[in-house]
Amino acid sequence: MGIEPATFTKSDLIAAFMAHHHVPAIFELSGGMIAFLTDAIARLAKTPIINMRHEQAAGFAAEGATRITGRSAVAMGTSGPGATNLITAIASSYFDSVPTIFITGQVNQKELKKSENQRQNGFQELDIINAVKEITKHAVLFDSSTDVFAELKKAWSIANSGRPGPVLLDIPIDVQQELVPYQEIDTHGLIPELSAVVDNLSIGRLVTLIGESKRPIFLLGGGVRTSQMAELIRKIIEKWKIPVVYSLMGVDAVDSASIYRIGMIGSYGNRWANRTIARSDLIIALGTRLDIRQTGADLSTFTKDKKIFRVDVDQSEISGRLSADFSVESSLQIFLTEIAKLDVTFDYSEWLAEIDVERANFPQRLEQSQNITFNPSDIMQWISSLSSRNRGYVVDVGQHQMWAAQSLVIESGQRFITSGGLGAMGFALPAAIGAAVATAGRWIVIAGDGCSQLSIAEFQTLLHYNLPITLCIINNGQHGMVAQFQETNLDGRYISTREGYSSPDFTKIANAFGIKSLRFHNLGELEKAQQFVSAWDSGPLVLEFIVSPEAKALPKMGVGTSIQDL
Ligand SMILES: Cc1ncc(C[n+]2csc(CCOP(=O)(O)OP(=O)(O)O)c2C)c(N)n1
Ligand SMILES: [Mg+2]
């Protein structure tokens, strides 16, 4: 490995392990307590180190890279503030089931607190392990006796097995420098083999339920992508000819070219998709949490006159807020592989024709008041038309997120990534940086004016690595999603969303960073720029769309209501 045995440290072991496991990249912001680690990784020169402008962004970037490649990427931060800055990103990976690995530097073992009651002993000492217990699958402080390889192997295994999720390793600076003899990397059994089998009973039950059903529907969630089962589910759907609706996390489970892909359900779902699931008599829910944003608060209305068959890898989701008529605790990989073998055909042409009528009756763009001439739905259609070579969309949090989920056209292989469970503003640009570092091709970010101000420092990262990212800022001059809430629930007192809120000139800001930018006010301007933007092939590009503050995220399921009411 080009390293003399005498200078082989535990940091070198960690670097070697990461290289061996094809970690797509390490995202970090420097600090003394991680300097030995980054130095070892750089000396080995096998894993790219991407230097970000904030540890939270490093965490989101690692999450983005992990979600796109299916391989654990790493985010690192120094002890103390570096570690606390990672916490939001750790929670994001936890709620959205992403096996991101977080590594924090820690003070010298001798400087660690002497008792629980002592606040702090070393400078920048902070007990990050206890702080993140609730939002990691596993968090461990290394010490001199830690078997580094064994612990790394365990960390990668835990993160990637069952329902995936983040792991944090806290490594004191003296441990990082300890000398060790060379060790062979033992990868055997790194990610546990899937040995479980789905019993015939549940498969038979599914076939019977479908046979008895007149209006079955698949409901797909984030689990489809987490388990890397998008291709297989597509095959099953085309064979069984059963329509599909999806949650916000399942937008890219099936591409838009499939005639069976109906739309997004939930609080801000497409009206026709919510009406369709409301009228279905059998929901086959795969890898989805059925949370309140999908079902509405009133579960009895959601489940009325229908059966629910549910598959999830996480037993605590199955026994959670909604009890299904039949549920299977299984990874989708195992379950779908089994049902793909079934030799069955179904004919739901009448049901599909009914759905077509619903879809034709409620076009998404007509949800907006027709005074809104620069219609967000049209903007999303235009963005979708830019290039089929785009790898996908990374979308922030707010009204623009809902417009994107409702109206983007997802082509075969394209991804749609957003902060689902945590809903963290500022996620999209850094997550796209992670995706762009880990894969070839252009990524499209869709972010609001509010969200953009949380990640604006990463413009420099974009420029520094000349990343192929088109950042689309949907500027409605406000924190629109919260303003919409204030309009409905607080008599339109727009505290901190319009009052006291402003944003900079984003095109000037981009230019100041040295990034090309364009601003659009209407569809005519978009049409004119289409060719230029589609052909843009040299690093980052910022596009700003000026949208009326009166444009809303619609339809909107009222608080305490259900999708039957739409
Ligand atoms: C870190 C964080 N802080 C606050 C919120 C609450 N929040 C949700 S959406 C939103 C407004 C986002 O504004 P903008 O990016 O302009 O999007 P818009 O809704 O206007 O499209 C806020 C403040 C959040 N989700 N995340
Ligand atoms: Mg806004």
Side-chain angles (χ1 to χ4, degrees):
M1 349 196 99
I3 295 160
E4 293 298 314
T7 60
F8 206 77
T9 65
K10 288 188 177 170
S11 293
D12 292 316
L13 281 191
I14 294 167
F17 184 94
M18 289 179 185
H20 193 85
H21 290 294
H22 307 288
V23 164
I26 288 145
F27 302 89
E28 49 77 58
L29 188 152
S30 80
M33 296 300 124
I34 54 169
F36 286 98
L37 286 169
T38 46
D39 189 66
I41 295 160
R43 275 189 284 107
L44 190 59
K46 291 271 174 66
T47 312
I49 298 177
I50 306 298
N51 182 24
M52 310 284 293
R53 295 297 173 272
H54 195 299
E55 289 85 356
Q56 177 177 299
F60 287 150
E63 177 181 340
T66 304
R67 282 170 73 162
I68 293 307
T69 60
R71 296 199 314 274
S72 290
V74 174
M76 289 204 306
T78 197
S79 65
T84 52
N85 277 350
L86 287 171
I87 290 179
T88 301
I90 294 172
S92 173
S93 281
Y94 189 63
F95 294 135
D96 287 351
S97 311
V98 187
T100 318
I101 307 286
F102 292 86
I103 296 181
T104 44
Q106 184 55 278
V107 298
N108 204 301
Q109 291 173 90
K110 282 203 297 283
E111 293 163 26
L112 287 166
K113 298 193 292 179
K114 306 297 173 213
S115 76
E116 279 205 2
N117 294 334
Q118 190 184 8
R119 284 201 187 176
Q120 192 184 43
N121 193 30
F123 168 64
Q124 293 189 327
E125 180 202 1
L126 182 129
D127 181 356
I128 190 67
I129 299 295
N130 266 312
V132 301
K133 256 194 190 136
E134 297 284 314
I135 48 170
T136 47
K137 284 184 81 181
H138 177 67
V140 62
L141 172 67
F142 280 29
D143 64 27
S144 294
S145 68
T146 301
D147 177 339
V148 172
F149 267 174
E151 273 305 326
L152 292 173
K153 200 167 136 178
K154 188 170 160 193
W156 256 253
S157 265
I158 292 174
N160 286 282
S161 59
R163 181 175 180 179
V167 162
L168 182 134
L169 309 174
D170 193 24
I171 313 180
I173 188 167
D174 54 327
V175 176
Q176 295 171 25
Q177 300 167 76
E178 284 167 356
L179 297 179
V180 279
Y182 176 74
Q183 270 173 281
E184 285 294 334
I185 299 179
D186 170 20
T187 56
H188 184 70
L190 182 65
I191 295 172
E193 295 289 312
L194 292 168
S195 56
V197 282
V198 179
D199 57 285
N200 290 329
L201 175 72
S202 39
I203 292 179
R205 183 83 179 133
L206 176 62
V207 175
T208 310
L209 283 172
I210 298 177
E212 289 166 2
S213 158
K214 291 199 169 59
R215 294 181 302 280
I217 195 142
F218 277 110
L219 168 57
L220 305 183
V224 172
R225 281 293 184 172
T226 305
S227 60
Q228 302 182 33
M229 284 292 103
E231 247 176 70
L232 190 56
I233 192 83
R234 179 77 148 84
K235 279 193 193 135
I236 293 170
I237 286 156
E238 299 298 315
K239 184 167 150 202
W240 291 12
K241 302 182 173 27
I242 291 178
V244 172
V245 290
Y246 43 84
S247 67
L248 179 65
M249 288 294 286
V251 167
D252 62 354
V254 176
D255 60 88
S256 304
S258 170
I259 58 165
Y260 304 106
R261 182 185 192 263
I262 306 305
M264 180 171 77
I265 65 147
S267 303
Y268 297 96
N270 302 110
R271 192 177 295 271
W272 67 85
N274 276 331
R275 289 171 62 96
T276 298
I277 195 171
R279 295 173 60 181
S280 68
D281 61 6
L282 171 66
I283 299 176
I284 308 158
L286 306 180
T288 181
R289 209 147 73 78
L290 291 163
D291 71 319
I292 191 165
R293 281 216 160 183
Q294 290 182 52
T295 64
D298 179 2
L299 282 178
S300 61
T301 325
F302 182 82
T303 55
K304 193 165 167 274
D305 300 329
K306 58 175 66 50
K307 296 236 159 56
I308 298 183
F309 182 98
R310 183 166 188 193
V311 185
D312 204 288
V313 71
D314 185 352
Q315 174 56 38
S316 50
E317 290 297 352
I318 289 172
S319 55
R321 62 187 289 272
L322 186 145
S323 56
D325 296 274
F326 199 91
S327 46
V328 187
E329 183 192 344
S330 165
S331 83
L332 285 186
Q333 198 177 340
I334 293 171
F335 184 81
L336 294 179
T337 307
E338 285 306 311
I339 67 168
K341 294 178 195 154
L342 290 174
D343 189 19
V344 287
T345 49
F346 305 106
D347 178 6
Y348 291 108
S349 38
E350 250 176 66
W351 171 223
L352 288 163
E354 262 181 60
I355 298 171
D356 278 344
V357 173
E358 288 286 346
R359 191 171 2 204
N361 281 343
F362 301 101
Q364 186 59 47
R365 67 181 311 284
L366 296 187
E367 295 288 349
Q368 261 349 301
S369 146
Q370 291 315 287
N371 299 330
I372 309 293
T373 49
F374 203 22
N375 189 311
S377 181
D378 294 339
I379 296 174
M380 295 304 151
Q381 294 275 334
W382 181 82
I383 292 173
S384 305
S385 75
L386 285 177
S387 172
S388 53
R389 286 173 308 159
N390 291 335
R391 295 298 304 263
Y393 305 92
V394 190
V395 180
D396 236 310
V397 178
Q399 291 177 316
H400 60 280
Q401 178 187 33
M402 298 308 153
W403 295 328
Q406 290 163 341
S407 294
L408 283 174
V409 179
I410 307 293
E411 292 189 24
S412 176
Q414 284 182 340
R415 299 294 311 270
F416 177 96
I417 289 183
T418 196
S419 174
L422 189 65
M425 284 172 77
F427 169 83
L429 179 57
I433 290 174
V437 163
T439 55
R442 181 160 289 272
W443 287 87
I444 309 288
V445 172
I446 297 178
D449 48 297
C451 290
S452 294
Q453 292 185 74
L454 272 80
S455 51
I456 216 158
E458 301 308 324
F459 277 27
Q460 191 59 30
T461 315
L462 267 184
L463 184 81
H464 186 93
Y465 295 100
N466 195 32
L467 293 170
I469 289 176
T470 304
L471 168 59
C472 301
I473 301 177
I474 311 297
N475 186 351
N476 54 5
Q478 59 175 351
H479 281 176
M481 191 57 114
V482 182
Q484 186 170 336
F485 179 87
Q486 289 165 325
E487 181 185 40
T488 314
N489 301 293
L490 293 161
D491 296 327
R493 292 187 298 278
Y494 298 109
I495 315 300
S496 302
T497 55
R498 291 187 187 174
E499 281 172 37
Y501 174 79
S502 57
S503 55
D505 181 327
F506 289 107
T507 53
K508 275 194 187 153
I509 292 266
N511 294 348
F513 277 92
I515 300 174
K516 169 82 182 162
S517 65
L518 296 169
R519 179 182 287 139
F520 306 110
H521 305 84
N522 56 52
L523 288 175
E525 288 175 1
L526 288 188
E527 232 166 79
K528 273 191 221 137
Q530 169 101 17
Q531 228 182 350
F532 173 82
V533 177
S534 302
W536 180 265
D537 205 16
S538 47
L541 179 66
V542 170
L543 307 177
E544 186 185 13
F545 304 75
I546 306 297
V547 170
S548 163
E550 297 314 313
K552 302 278 185 318
L554 292 168
K556 165 82 175 97
M557 201 194 300
V559 177
T561 59
S562 105
I563 54 179
Q564 318 285 77
D565 304 327
L566 284 165

